[in-house]
Amino acid sequence: MAAPDVLIIGAGIVGAACAAECAREGLSVTVVEAEMIGGGATAAGMGHLVVMDDSEAQFALTRYSVELWRDLAHELPCDAEFAHSGTIWVAADQEEMNFLPAKSEYYVSRGVRAEILDARALAEAEPNLRAGLAGGLLVPDDCVLYPPCAARFLMERAQARGAQLEIGKRVAEIECDGVRLEDGARAQAGIIVNAAGSAAARLTPGAQIRPRKGHLVITDRYSGFVRHQLVELGYLKSAHSVSTDSVAFNVQPRPTGQMLIGSSRQYGNEDRRVDSAMLSRMLNRAQEFMPPLGGLSAIRTWTGFRAATPDKLPLIGKWPGHERLFMAAGHEGLGITTSLATGKLLVDEIMKRESAIARAPYSPERKFDEQRGH
Ligand SMILES: Cc1cc2nc3c(=O)[nH]c(=O)nc-3n(C[C@H](O)[C@H](O)[C@H](O)COP(=O)(O)OP(=O)(O)OC[C@H]3O[C@@H](n4cnc5c(N)ncnc54)[C@H](O)[C@@H]3O)c2cc1C
């Protein structure tokens, strides 16, 4: 391998987005991938491109990135299955409904369209939800896509601009001027980018990233059964739970007429196998919100590992204590959404210029608050 300006470890959607952006900048790029393009968490993900309001930093990154996806939409190939589904955050009861005016105001005051639906409007929008739900918040500009094909598209874009892809080569160690591969070969590079997803901490000891297991189910084709990405408002509670396993109602219509049903979150479980108890819990939760789901056929179930950081924000930028190492990892449940913005922020930092949004909240040099638990 000739020494490139940038060597990226991992061809998941984050590594692919970084490769496309570095190549666009005119940097020479090599991507080293142990298995296949988009075959890690990217293949397991739901592909919901969602603006999230959990924190200002998460909002800024997700909004920036969803805008980038929307701008790119007309260039994506058909098999990336990009669709303007919108999101409805479903309020189960009046207590949850009471949160919606503030949530709506948060989005609208920052320029993101949002509309409160009462019980009747929710039922009209999604007739298969159970009766008696209190309402919801429609965020119409959120989208969905099929992540592995989107990753392949980004990688091809990088390759069209001269990037080299080394498939089937696993990085064993990051050294001071490059990487050592498992077969003993060494590759030098001006800059090394660790985009190895949930495996990133193995290559960068000290990076606070740990795997968080999730399950998903895909159904047979039932066109029109669900029209928007539906997420229960309690989802954030599930995403925040650091000590216990959790499930939340989260259903996505695919353009094929299929539905993805999620989602579960587990720390400390690195077993790839489907856990039938967790799967039942997740499907029971989905049926509580949408009882007719129980009569549909599921055709496949799988698991994947999110790369979780203590503060739910990714590590993007220079790694302290190593002259040449940059991180692009730790995107937890939002890496499909935030991949494009990650590529932009990474290249801005490499080129030492301002970004469209502040980079500091995602800096790998930030300190984590021990109180929040890891
Ligand atoms: C169940 C589930 C649902 C999700 N739903 C969504 C969603 O709806 N929306 C959203 O935005 N996000 C979602 N996510 C999160 C999203 O899938 C991830 O954040 C994203 O795919 C991370 O991409 P990545 O490129 O960082 O990691 P990965 O896709 O895991 O890619 C990392 C790559 O690095 C390679 N690699 C690892 N170690 C080495 C090594 N030593 N040498 C060479 N190569 C190496 C791996 O083979 C892999 O291909 C979900 C995740 C899960 C698990």
Side-chain angles (χ1 to χ4, degrees):
M1 270 188 248
D5 295 328
V6 184
L7 184 148
I8 298 172
I9 306 167
I13 201 160
V14 172
C18 292
E21 214 43 49
C22 287
R24 183 211 296 273
E25 194 62 40
L27 299 166
S28 60
V29 178
T30 296
V31 180
V32 180
E33 166 55 55
E35 293 175 13
M36 60 192 283
I37 300 170
T42 299
M46 226 183 187
H48 184 201
L49 305 177
V50 54
V51 181
M52 291 281 281
D53 60 344
D54 194 18
S55 65
E56 288 292 348
Q58 192 188 65
F59 179 85
L61 190 67
T62 53
R63 186 198 23 200
Y64 179 32
S65 214
V66 170
E67 280 171 6
L68 293 170
W69 278 116
R70 291 170 61 83
D71 291 347
L72 191 64
H74 67 284
E75 296 176 56
L76 290 170
C78 288
D79 62 5
E81 295 180 354
F82 183 92
H84 295 91
S85 60
T87 304
I88 298 179
W89 294 91
V90 179
D93 52 28
Q94 191 52 46
E95 197 188 336
E96 288 190 355
M97 198 67 190
N98 293 340
F99 286 109
L100 290 190
K103 189 174 175 76
S104 175
E105 170 61 17
Y106 186 93
Y107 281 98
V108 171
S109 65
R110 288 163 179 77
V112 175
R113 293 195 298 154
E115 181 192 339
I116 294 176
L117 308 179
D118 62 14
R120 180 190 292 191
L122 177 67
E124 277 169 14
E126 292 291 346
N128 284 310
L129 282 171
R130 81 167 155 79
L133 293 167
L137 184 74
L138 170 64
V139 182
D141 295 327
D142 287 349
C143 307
V144 299
L145 53 60
Y146 183 52
C149 290
R152 189 209 64 225
F153 165 81
L154 293 170
M155 199 60 235
E156 285 172 358
R157 194 155 249 219
Q159 289 172 284
R161 293 174 181 140
Q164 300 295 311
L165 175 61
E166 301 285 345
I167 286 275
K169 296 190 176 166
R170 187 175 293 278
V171 172
E173 195 185 348
I174 296 173
E175 301 184 321
C176 55
D177 60 352
V179 299
R180 181 173 55 79
L181 303 180
E182 265 188 354
D183 63 9
R186 290 196 149 81
Q188 291 183 320
I191 284 170
I192 305 140
V193 177
N194 183 348
S198 61
R202 270 186 233 147
L203 295 171
T204 305
Q208 291 198 44
I209 294 176
R210 56 179 181 148
R212 200 172 189 193
K213 185 174 178 179
H215 288 73
L216 280 186
V217 172
I218 192 157
T219 69
D220 212 334
R221 294 170 190 236
Y222 302 96
S223 210
F225 191 93
V226 170
R227 301 164 183 170
H228 305 81
Q229 175 101 23
L230 300 176
V231 192
E232 66 167 288
L233 261 181
Y235 174 84
L236 278 182
K237 236 184 286 164
S238 153
H240 274 296
S241 156
V242 289
S243 52
T244 52
D245 297 350
S246 61
V247 295
F249 168 64
N250 189 353
V251 173
Q252 176 183 112
R254 301 294 319 146
T256 54
Q258 294 171 285
M259 276 164 285
L260 283 173
I261 306 174
S263 56
S264 68
R265 284 179 145 81
Q266 290 169 279
Y267 279 125
N269 182 336
E270 296 190 33
D271 185 344
R272 292 195 169 274
R273 286 173 300 182
V274 170
D275 169 347
S276 55
M278 183 51 81
L279 186 65
S280 304
R281 231 179 107 185
M282 187 178 96
L283 290 175
N284 287 340
R285 186 70 181 166
Q287 279 182 71
E288 280 171 29
F289 280 82
M290 192 163 252
L293 277 177
L296 309 187
S297 297
I299 58 172
R300 201 161 71 84
T301 302
W302 64 89
T303 67
F305 293 92
R306 306 171 181 94
T309 65
D311 63 1
K312 317 274 177 271
L313 296 173
L315 308 182
I316 307 170
K318 180 85 179 46
W319 179 251
H322 190 300
E323 277 303 303
R324 301 186 183 203
L325 178 59
F326 287 66
M327 299 297 291
H331 294 71
E332 229 258 50
L334 289 169
I336 311 300
T337 303
T338 55
S339 53
L340 294 186
T342 298
K344 293 272 186 206
L345 298 191
L346 177 84
V347 171
D348 289 341
E349 184 154 335
I350 291 172
M351 304 309 288
K352 298 188 168 48
R353 65 184 179 219
E354 294 270 293
S355 292
I357 60 170
R359 290 199 294 272
Y362 326 105
S363 166
E365 298 194 35
R366 69 189 184 272
K367 298 276 175 275
F368 292 112
D369 174 4
E370 298 294 326
Q371 297 303 314
R372 292 191 73 169
H374 295 180

